[in-house]
């Protein structure tokens, strides 16, 4: 496993390793999550009368193979934009798809726009199926002391009975980092995920 330059030489990132089976959970890795500190569902939505008649099922969020990991991944766009790196001493608590799946499901269930929102593992009957494919989930450093969290994906709404496509929309959210650190990147990713989940939810809610 090739070793990259240390934090002193990169100026901020800590010793990094190429992604490719190298990022495994170890006791000295700091686990980061994208769970919101508070619900992002508007108060008026929580208090709205629950009179919706449509059941929505959220299929398990999918992602490309390079995101099927809990590695905390980033790019040094100013140095080698094609090289995907990961922190040696930090990781996510789950894969990006798993973390977003949980956040989106909770948001939709709390929104009161649907009669019920089922998880992908549920056997209940639904009228609509929402599929989300995650295309990007990474921190991009544009210079040694500046960067942004990026989340991008495509949502597809299907008829649950014949699986014909009802609508499809792409989403992209970025949030700048306050400092060039793993903790600041996680905080920016948390905010980006709130915006991303909120945008997907608002889009699909118009079809209920």
């Amino acid at each position: 496993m090739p070793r990259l330059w240390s934090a002193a030489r990169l100026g901020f990132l800590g010793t990094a390793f190429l992604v490719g089976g190298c990022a495994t959970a170890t006791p000295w890795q700091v686990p980061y999550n994208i769970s919101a500190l508070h619900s992002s569902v508007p108060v008026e939505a929580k208090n709205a009368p629950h009179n919706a008649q449509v059941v929505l099922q959220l299929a398990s969020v999918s992602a490309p193979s390079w995101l099927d990991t809990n590695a905390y991944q980033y790019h040094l766009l100013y140095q080698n934009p094609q090289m995907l790196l990961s922190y040696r001493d930090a990781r996510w608590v789950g894969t990006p798809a798993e973390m977003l799946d949980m956040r989106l499901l909770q948001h939709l269930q709390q929104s009161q726009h649907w009669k019920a929102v089922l998880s992908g593992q549920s056997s209940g009957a639904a009228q609509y199926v929402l599929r989300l494919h995650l295309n990007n989930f990474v921190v991009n450093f544009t210079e040694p002391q500046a960067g942004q969290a990026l989340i991008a994906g495509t949502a597809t709404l299907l008829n649950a009975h014949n699986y014909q496509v009802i609508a499809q929309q792409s989403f992209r959210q970025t949030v700048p980092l306050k400092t060039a650190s793993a903790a600041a990147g996680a905080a920016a990713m948390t905010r980006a995920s709130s915006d991303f989940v909120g945008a997907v939810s608002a889009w699909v809610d118009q079809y209920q």
Side-chain angles (χ1 to χ4, degrees):
M1 180 169 59
R3 185 168 181 169
L4 305 178
W5 292 103
S6 65
R9 293 176 185 175
L10 286 181
F12 62 95
L13 285 177
T15 304
F17 286 77
L18 287 174
V19 176
C22 300
T24 56
T26 57
W28 44 265
Q29 285 183 315
V30 178
Y32 288 101
N33 201 351
I34 60 169
S35 295
L37 297 178
H38 54 82
S39 174
S40 58
V41 177
V43 173
E44 57 269 23
K46 292 182 181 180
N47 298 330
H50 198 164
N51 55 9
Q53 298 300 312
V54 180
V55 177
L56 175 70
Q57 184 169 41
L58 176 62
S60 297
V61 176
S62 62
S65 58
W66 68 272
L67 283 175
D68 189 20
T69 175
N70 67 347
Y72 189 137
Q73 301 184 108
Y74 64 90
H75 284 116
L76 301 181
L77 297 182
Y78 62 92
Q79 187 177 70
N80 190 342
Q82 300 303 317
M83 184 176 290
L84 184 64
L85 311 173
S86 67
Y87 283 101
R88 185 184 66 173
D89 54 359
R91 61 178 173 85
W92 297 112
V93 297
T95 69
E98 291 169 342
M99 293 189 294
L100 275 176
D101 191 299
M102 182 177 297
R103 286 213 59 181
L104 182 56
L105 180 64
Q106 291 174 344
H107 188 103
L108 289 168
Q109 288 175 335
Q110 294 171 6
S111 72
Q112 301 296 318
H113 282 92
W114 303 89
K115 181 178 181 180
V117 179
L118 310 177
S119 69
Q121 292 73 39
S122 174
S123 58
Q127 285 76 51
Y128 292 159
V129 175
L130 176 62
R131 290 180 177 171
L132 176 63
H133 182 74
L134 186 63
N135 300 318
N136 222 324
F137 187 100
V138 69
V139 174
N140 290 318
F141 289 95
T142 53
E143 54 186 84
Q145 297 299 327
Q148 61 183 11
L150 166 64
I151 300 178
T154 300
T156 305
L157 185 64
L158 305 168
N159 184 310
H161 303 295
N162 55 23
Y163 286 92
Q164 290 189 349
V165 174
I166 297 171
Q168 187 176 74
Q169 182 70 42
S170 294
F171 298 88
R172 177 186 173 92
Q173 297 291 337
T174 60
V175 173
L177 276 64
K178 292 185 177 180
T179 62
S181 66
M189 195 65 81
T190 297
R191 294 193 298 274
S193 67
S194 292
D195 294 342
F196 185 88
V197 164
V200 173
S201 180
W203 170 76
V204 74
D205 283 348
Q206 65 184 316
Y207 295 98
Q208 66 86 26

